Amino acid sequence: MLDTINEFFGFTKTDYADLVKKGAIILDVRSKGEFASGHVKNAINIPLDQLPNNLTRLKDKNKTIITCCASGMRSGSAKSLLLKNGYTDVHNGGGWMSLNEKI
């Protein structure tokens, strides 16, 4: 149970730098305004409330996706939504600033 909770909030020992090096997509689910104030380089911005209607922007369901937001809550919800829609390799990167330091 604790592993599931840690994974949901992005507290696992995932090597995000390696995932990015291998071509992972970074999906920032904060609002457009939050994203404009700073974000991980090359991240795609699809706000969480708009994600269900924009899944076609993430064409390859087998491509690695790292979700991020401000704290890890919205990115955890985005991860769950993506997994429920058939995406197979999704990681919650947590807060974007923390993720940025890891990559």
Side-chain angles (χ1 to χ4, degrees):
M1 174 92 173
L2 186 56
D3 288 339
T4 302
I5 292 169
N6 284 335
E7 174 65 19
F8 180 82
F9 288 107
F11 299 138
T12 59
K13 298 291 183 191
T14 303
D15 186 346
Y16 295 107
D18 188 54
L19 293 176
V20 170
K21 189 184 300 182
K22 292 177 179 174
I25 294 170
I26 299 173
L27 174 63
D28 190 321
V29 296
R30 296 176 299 146
S31 71
K32 292 194 182 302
E34 288 174 296
F35 185 79
S37 71
H39 58 270
V40 175
K41 183 179 178 181
N42 297 322
I44 296 170
N45 179 229
I46 306 175
L48 181 59
D49 64 340
Q50 298 173 20
L51 186 57
N53 296 324
N54 285 281
L55 292 175
T56 56
R57 290 182 58 191
L58 305 169
K59 296 177 185 356
D60 184 352
K61 291 189 175 190
N62 295 310
K63 180 119 177 143
T64 303
I65 299 173
I66 303 168
T67 61
C68 67
C69 61
S71 67
M73 294 296 291
R74 287 176 282 180
S75 56
S77 296
K79 175 185 174 178
S80 294
L81 185 142
L82 291 170
L83 291 172
K84 287 177 186 171
N85 281 278
Y87 293 83
T88 61
D89 190 12
V90 185
H91 303 267
N92 180 0
W96 78 270
M97 285 190 273
S98 174
L99 176 62
N100 201 33
E101 291 174 4
K102 295 173 186 171
I103 59 171

